[in-house]
Amino acid sequence: MKSMFLSESRKETQVHDFNPQSWLQVERGKLMKISSYSSSSIESLIKVLEPPILPYYKPVDYVSVLAQIHEELEQCKPEEKSDRCLLQYHVFRGLGETKLLRRSLHSAWKHATTVYEKIIYGTWLRYEKQGEEFITDLLSSCGKCCRELEPVDVASEIPAGASVPVCETSTSSNVQEEAMMVSFQIGEELVICQRCKISSLSIPFHTMLNGPFTETNLEVIDLSENGISSAGMRCIANFSVTGVLAGTGLSADFLLEILVFANKFCCEKLKEACDRKLASLVCSRQDAIELITCALEENAPVLVATCMQVLLRELPTCLADDQVVKFFSNVNKEQQYAMVGRASFPFYSLLSEVSMKTDPTSEKTVRFVEKMVESAVGASQRQIAYHQLGCVRFLRKEYGEAVRAFNAALSSGHVYSIAGIARIACLRGNTVLAFEKLTSVISSYQPLGWMFLERSLYTNSNRKLEDLDTATELDPTLTYPYMYRAINLLKKQVPKAALDEVNRILGFKMAVECLELRFCINLVMENYDLALRDVHAILTLAPGYRMVEGRVEASKIATLLSAQVDKWSSADCWMHLYERWSAVDDVGSLSVIFQMMETDAPKGVLYFRQSLLLLRLNCPEAAMRSLQLARQHACSEHERLIYEGWLLYDTGHCQEALFKAEESIAKQRSFEAFFLKAYVLADSGMDPSCSATCISLLEEALKCPSDRLRKGQALNNLGGVYLDCEKLDLAADCYTSALKIRHTRAHQGLARVHFLKNNRVAAFEEMTQLIETAKSNASAYEKRSEYCDREQTIKDLEMVTRLDPLRVYPYRYRAAVLMDSRKEKEAIAELTHAIAFKADLYLLHLRAAFHEHIGDLQSALRDCRAALSLDPNHQEMLELHKRVHNQETITGFDTM
């Protein structure tokens, strides 16, 4: 969604409005040298857009919010749990934690107590997993299903006859009435019915036929003016006897006629039968649209819920239907309750999210977000709803309404909404006010990276750079500061420094906009092969990406650049892939694979290699897409089964992944099938005694044909298993063999062997070789830190934090050292600094232990609860939580 909220300067134009040759300086098929360049020429090539105001819930202290949610989940009523899980979802959405937010949605679905909540959260999960529907099919092929993704059986969720009153009559009356008949006049036709059976349909009928009324003594009663046809009355007469709506081809219109009549005469059993029968006829969006209004008017709960499910399961496409949008937008509160029960807020949260991803400036988005505001209950829901409304109004340039919405969110406690208020103040020419608002926030709260980033937008160049440096220090994941500094250096004609700056963030975060900036810098430096590398990486991550402010397709730029670099044969490509893979140059390897796609090399294998690299680069969505493509392009059934196994493993279905590996082996013994089975067994921890099986499987894999890249990985993994079994010499042999075929990462395993043999110097030297060889070496520095003295360890871990600030071990180590030195405040501050931008269980666990150590039990309990929000089943965390909770309870009693 982030790309939806870019600065308004980023507008789509036709490709022919932009001539790539003009900035590539193409003449006679060659690139002319760029001997000098000016600030204006750089700005014409790329602009650093203002960072977007994210439409997410971003509390200043997310740890306290998560802790409070966890506490409330333990104490609240069952019917309130789903709402708490939804709030947890919004926190994780703001943190960018996709796996965690999906888990929260699953928890909301699991805790749903009404059919409406089950439909909404099931639909939301399904929407979040768009493009992964094949996983459901793969699980089905293994005999397993995802219940949360299946349609809800609405009829079984709403109990039959729960509210149907029974019309009681005396036995003597029943005997007397049994022989009596009554006829109903419908136009010119008579419909003969059993008086006692019709009277048993409802109290009004019973009173009419047995009470002190004129109709009681009539043999023919005229019902012509009551909206029922003779055929409908005959169906009702039959129902009164059999209790079943019988007849072939009962149409929806016919059943609606009976439903309206049943409501008019309070025939609850008849109404319920019509409700369920109509629900069974809803098969399409059009059916749902045509029936839901009447269902609401006639209070037919099964039909309403069924129609809602059919409509929602067609998200997002159903929101392109004006009838659907109009209906969802215009329902009143009474109708909302009939549609979704007490789940109006989650319902409109879902619709708002879907609509914002499709078109955040559309009228329907405004309507849905306004409905979300109307249905918000409590401060947290109001913060979420008003902030989203402010973002939408801001994008629509409706600044007055946007300010009101942002102010409402701020008043409810959402401090991040100040960013929107400041932007609008600046747009209205009051930059000083914008600066002052951010300064006030910085002085009033624990400073966060986004606060300084936002303030930097309203300052001069020197102060701006200071604020951006502070923003990076507080939150190194923010991309805008790196990009601004890089462009600033490029304007000063220091392209090497600009390149170093953008490489800082690309070392740990594959942001497409940063890759595009690096492409431009390489272009300025006339590094055309590296520029092409970055375009290939962009196209791998986002195949439809458009560059240069969205004016030209990345694929067209790749075509232009390809003409300026040497062509590689298939053999050349394999050689370069081997070299870059061995150098742990993952982006370079991606570029080679991209080029190999244009050769006659098997596509399935290439997409599979691509997925492995993307996982290393922490791009799970792109990796999943590549694995799907590998499956589609598999050359054989046994190869397809291998990719299906990896797809299942990567989505957490280990047992089913093993099943696929075994299926593949049964069809053909292959390296990848044995490797998959060994990997899943070793990594899933299914059986601690499976080491011998893993060794056997990897040995079988190594006997099968494969290339050196994969064989090196297998040898490395085999060394790891031997290491776990304390067979150090065998492990060393495997790592040495892997290094002989240039599997560079084997240095790490061999270093471990040296260390376990009490040779720390050799271990240090081994890791030094890996650092010198690997292009991406943050993990190598981290591992080397285990084999040196404290001073060198601290230096290595400082280097790790510079290269990849998202790696948590350095923060934990430094905090532990400070704690050992009795610098408790500094130790806690070290962890707090990292927790502010990285929601990590181990950081929270250690900080909770520190708080417990110094006697701050409330803070310890807060961190325990927040950590358990990240992983509810973490055993050590559960034990610490229990211990701290017990201490806190005892302390509470002591102070009473």
Side-chain angles (χ1 to χ4, degrees):
M1 186 186 286
K2 187 173 180 180
S3 61
M4 298 287 185
F5 293 85
L6 294 173
S7 166
E8 56 198 48
S9 66
R10 184 172 191 160
K11 296 177 181 176
E12 188 74 12
T13 59
Q14 297 298 314
V15 175
H16 57 69
D17 291 338
F18 175 75
N19 180 15
Q21 278 87 345
S22 66
W23 55 268
L24 281 177
Q25 307 278 326
V26 175
E27 182 177 291
R28 294 193 181 96
K30 292 187 178 180
L31 292 173
M32 293 174 64
K33 282 196 173 183
I34 305 174
S35 56
S36 64
Y37 48 90
S38 64
S39 296
S40 59
S41 67
I42 292 167
E43 288 177 359
S44 69
L45 183 60
I46 189 166
K47 295 176 183 176
V48 181
L49 305 171
E50 282 189 354
I53 303 170
L54 300 175
Y56 304 138
Y57 179 47
K58 295 179 73 67
V60 170
D61 183 2
Y62 77 85
V63 173
S64 293
V65 174
L66 286 176
Q68 183 179 348
I69 294 168
H70 186 272
E71 183 179 9
E72 290 173 357
L73 279 168
E74 291 179 327
Q75 300 172 356
C76 68
K77 298 175 183 177
E79 61 269 21
E80 296 173 344
K81 288 184 182 291
S82 287
D83 283 345
R84 302 300 188 279
C85 293
L86 177 60
L87 180 56
Q88 192 182 69
Y89 161 87
H90 280 293
V91 175
F92 289 139
R93 173 66 81 192
L95 292 170
E97 296 287 348
T98 303
K99 283 187 177 180
L100 294 177
L101 68 85
R102 286 187 177 184
R103 199 196 63 214
S104 295
L105 275 183
H106 189 272
S107 295
W109 172 82
K110 189 172 68 175
H111 289 299
T113 56
T114 67
V115 65
Y116 312 108
E117 289 176 332
K118 289 177 184 178
I119 290 170
I120 290 166
Y121 289 119
T123 300
W124 208 331
L125 272 170
R126 190 167 179 264
Y127 174 73
E128 277 291 331
K129 295 183 178 183
Q130 281 183 106
E132 297 179 26
E133 294 84 359
F134 64 92
I135 294 293
T136 304
D137 297 334
L138 292 181
L139 289 171
S140 297
S141 70
C142 301
K144 185 178 179 181
C145 66
C146 294
R147 283 183 53 238
E148 67 273 20
L149 301 182
E150 296 297 317
V152 176
D153 184 354
V154 174
S156 68
E157 291 287 339
I158 299 178
S163 60
V164 179
V166 178
C167 181
E168 296 181 358
T169 57
S170 67
T171 305
S172 59
S173 296
N174 285 345
V175 173
Q176 183 182 8
E177 290 175 16
E178 193 67 35
M180 295 177 64
M181 307 298 285
V182 63
S183 297
F184 293 101
Q185 180 83 40
I186 313 288
E188 297 181 357
E189 294 189 50
L190 285 178
V191 179
I192 301 171
C193 308
Q194 293 184 31
R195 181 182 290 269
C196 72
K197 297 297 184 183
I198 291 294
S199 68
S200 69
L201 287 177
S202 69
I203 292 173
F205 266 127
H206 179 76
T207 306
M208 176 197 295
L209 298 175
N210 298 292
F213 298 101
T214 304
E215 289 86 353
T216 303
N217 300 314
L218 294 177
E219 293 184 2
V220 178
I221 299 172
D222 192 353
L223 289 183
S224 299
E225 302 301 321
N226 286 277
I228 192 73
S229 65
S230 56
M233 197 63 214
R234 278 192 290 274
C235 187
I236 293 168
N238 183 64
F239 179 83
S240 71
V241 175
T242 64
V244 177
L245 280 173
T248 56
L250 295 178
S251 69
D253 288 340
F254 183 69
L255 289 167
L256 284 172
E257 176 190 311
I258 297 173
L259 176 64
V260 173
F261 181 85
N263 247 341
K264 187 172 186 178
F265 285 90
C266 303
C267 305
E268 293 299 327
K269 286 186 178 179
L270 176 61
K271 173 189 167 183
E272 184 182 276
C274 286
D275 183 15
R276 291 175 184 272
K277 190 72 173 177
L278 279 163
S280 70
L281 300 179
V282 181
C283 299
S284 67
R285 184 199 310 171
Q286 195 56 43
D287 292 339
I289 292 170
E290 290 173 357
L291 291 171
I292 194 166
T293 303
C294 185
L296 288 170
E297 290 172 356
E298 301 302 328
N299 189 25
V302 179
L303 180 56
V304 169
T306 302
C307 291
M308 287 294 293
Q309 176 162 250
V310 168
L311 293 174
L312 291 180
R313 285 184 70 82
E314 288 198 19
L315 286 173
T317 55
C318 74
L319 295 188
D321 190 321
D322 291 339
Q323 289 178 283
V324 175
V325 172
K326 184 178 180 181
F327 174 75
F328 286 156
S329 303
N330 295 336
V331 288
N332 58 38
K333 288 191 175 181
E334 184 180 347
Q335 291 172 319
Q336 280 179 38
Y337 189 80
M339 284 164 49
V340 294
R342 50 185 292 278
S344 289
F345 184 78
F347 172 60
Y348 284 109
S349 291
L350 169 60
L351 293 184
S352 298
E353 181 169 314
V354 175
S355 188
M356 289 176 85
K357 283 185 178 179
T358 306
D359 183 359
T361 62
S362 67
E363 190 62 37
K364 65 186 173 189
T365 301
V366 175
R367 293 180 194 172
F368 292 148
V369 180
E370 285 179 337
K371 283 286 186 182
M372 184 167 65
V373 169
E374 290 173 13
S375 59
V377 177
S380 297
Q381 289 187 0
R382 285 194 292 272
Q383 289 176 45
I384 294 164
Y386 276 116
H387 180 70
Q388 282 196 19
L389 182 59
C391 289
V392 171
R393 293 292 191 189
F394 178 76
L395 288 171
R396 288 165 60 91
K397 301 181 183 179
E398 298 167 353
Y399 298 129
E401 292 89 338
V403 166
R404 282 191 286 275
F406 284 133
N407 272 318
L410 183 63
S411 298
S412 298
H414 194 245
V415 178
Y416 178 65
S417 295
I418 200 74
I421 297 168
R423 296 281 182 99
I424 294 167
C426 182
L427 286 168
R428 289 172 170 174
N430 200 338
T431 305
V432 173
L433 178 62
F435 177 85
E436 289 174 349
K437 283 187 176 295
L438 268 303
T439 301
S440 175
V441 165
I442 289 168
S443 61
S444 303
Y445 298 92
Q446 179 71 30
L448 296 172
W450 67 261
M451 298 175 183
F452 285 91
L453 185 155
E454 290 295 327
R455 192 173 72 172
S456 75
L457 303 176
Y458 315 116
T459 56
N460 59 34
S461 58
N462 290 333
R463 181 63 181 270
K464 185 184 187 77
L465 286 170
E466 288 178 15
D467 275 354
L468 289 176
D469 287 344
T470 305
T472 298
E473 182 183 343
L474 293 172
D475 185 354
T477 67
L478 298 170
T479 59
Y480 177 80
Y482 299 94
M483 296 181 71
Y484 181 87
R485 288 190 292 261
I487 287 292
N488 196 47
L489 289 164
L490 202 56
K491 287 178 182 178
K492 294 177 179 178
Q493 301 202 17
V494 194
K496 178 64 171 63
L499 194 61
D500 291 342
E501 182 63 32
V502 78
N503 278 335
R504 283 177 62 194
I505 189 165
L506 286 172
F508 65 91
K509 183 177 180 180
M510 279 288 105
V512 174
E513 62 270 26
C514 294
L515 282 168
E516 182 177 358
L517 176 56
R518 190 168 73 177
F519 149 79
C520 291
I521 297 171
N522 278 316
L523 202 63
V524 167
M525 296 175 70
E526 302 176 17
N527 295 331
Y528 304 126
D529 54 341
L530 296 179
L532 183 60
R533 172 205 62 188
D534 289 335
V535 180
H536 287 160
I538 288 169
L539 287 167
T540 303
L541 292 169
Y545 190 77
R546 300 176 72 87
M547 299 174 69
V548 194
E549 298 182 72
R551 287 182 283 167
V552 62
E553 294 174 3
S555 57
K556 291 187 179 296
I557 292 178
T559 301
L560 285 167
L561 276 173
S562 295
Q564 312 304 321
V565 298
D566 294 336
K567 297 289 183 184
W568 290 346
S569 66
S570 181
D572 292 333
C573 286
W574 278 109
M575 181 188 70
H576 284 288
L577 179 61
Y578 184 56
E579 289 176 352
R580 295 184 188 188
W581 200 290
S582 299
V584 198
D585 178 5
D586 295 334
V587 176
S589 298
L590 277 180
S591 177
V592 178
I593 288 176
F594 192 92
Q595 293 177 67
M596 292 173 76
M597 294 291 183
E598 298 174 0
T599 69
D600 56 359
K603 299 293 187 291
V605 172
L606 293 177
Y607 281 120
F608 176 58
R609 300 292 173 87
Q610 191 180 76
S611 73
L612 297 176
L613 291 165
L614 289 166
L615 283 174
R616 279 192 204 168
L617 292 166
N618 194 28
C619 303
E621 292 179 7
M624 181 70 72
R625 185 173 61 244
S626 293
L627 259 184
Q628 289 180 57
L629 289 167
R631 180 190 179 216
Q632 291 171 21
H633 290 85
C635 297
S636 62
E637 188 176 357
H638 81 268
E639 183 185 346
R640 176 180 57 79
L641 288 166
I642 291 164
Y643 302 144
E644 289 178 355
W646 282 113
L647 284 164
L648 288 164
Y649 173 76
D650 288 343
T651 50
H653 304 286
C654 294
Q655 194 62 53
E656 291 72 26
L658 280 176
F659 178 76
K660 291 291 182 181
E662 287 161 0
E663 266 195 294
S664 181
I665 291 168
K667 291 186 180 298
Q668 182 172 321
R669 297 166 65 84
S670 69
F671 173 90
E672 292 296 351
F674 283 117
F675 185 91
L676 169 62
K677 186 174 180 180
Y679 191 93
V680 175
L681 275 174
D683 199 50
S684 61
M686 290 180 174
D687 182 359
S689 63
C690 70
S691 296
T693 306
C694 290
I695 290 169
S696 175
L697 288 167
L698 288 169
E699 286 174 344
E700 288 298 323
L702 289 164
K703 293 175 186 175
C704 299
S706 186
D707 60 74
R708 289 185 293 175
L709 292 175
R710 296 300 284 157
K711 292 220 171 188
Q713 184 66 62
L715 285 164
N716 192 60
N717 288 14
L718 183 56
V721 180
Y722 281 133
L723 205 59
D724 292 339
C725 299
E726 299 182 357
K727 298 179 179 179
L728 302 186
D729 290 336
L730 290 173
D733 290 342
C734 289
Y735 291 131
T736 303
S737 297
L739 287 170
K740 285 178 180 176
I741 53 176
R742 296 180 65 188
H743 186 79
T744 309
R745 293 173 189 267
H747 282 297
Q748 185 171 308
L750 194 53
R752 193 69 185 166
V753 172
H754 291 316
F755 175 74
L756 292 173
K757 289 184 173 183
N758 297 316
N759 192 343
R760 292 170 68 95
V761 174
F764 180 86
E765 290 174 353
E766 200 71 45
M767 290 309 301
T768 302
Q769 289 184 59
L770 177 55
I771 288 168
E772 291 170 351
T773 306
K775 187 175 179 66
S776 176
N777 54 18
S779 64
Y781 275 105
E782 184 172 297
K783 288 296 178 183
R784 191 177 74 170
S785 71
E786 299 176 21
Y787 310 132
C788 44
D789 57 42
R790 176 170 285 192
E791 185 180 349
Q792 184 62 47
T793 294
I794 290 173
K795 287 181 181 178
D796 276 358
L797 293 180
E798 285 174 352
M799 178 61 76
V800 174
T801 300
R802 281 200 294 274
L803 294 173
D804 185 355
L806 295 180
R807 300 185 77 90
V808 300
Y809 175 73
Y811 303 102
R812 294 169 63 213
Y813 180 88
R814 288 190 290 265
V817 169
L818 288 165
M819 202 68 179
D820 287 343
S821 304
R822 297 188 179 183
K823 297 179 179 179
E824 291 91 351
K825 288 184 180 179
E826 292 87 341
I828 290 171
E830 177 71 21
L831 296 173
T832 301
H833 166 67
I835 288 167
F837 60 85
K838 173 74 172 175
D840 182 79
L841 173 79
Y842 300 102
L843 292 172
L844 286 165
H845 186 188
L846 188 57
R847 192 172 73 170
F850 286 179
H851 282 308
E852 182 195 26
H853 178 74
I854 64 174
D856 186 353
L857 297 179
Q858 286 190 341
S859 295
L861 194 57
R862 175 205 62 201
D863 286 350
C864 287
R865 286 170 173 158
L868 288 171
S869 298
L870 305 180
D871 184 355
N873 302 313
H874 191 270
Q875 194 57 43
E876 290 182 21
M877 202 69 247
L878 287 167
E879 291 169 4
L880 178 58
H881 175 256
K882 183 179 179 180
R883 186 172 71 243
V884 172
H885 185 268
N886 289 341
Q887 291 179 62
E888 207 262 346
T889 304
I890 292 168
T891 305
F893 280 126
D894 290 345
T895 58
M896 289 176 66

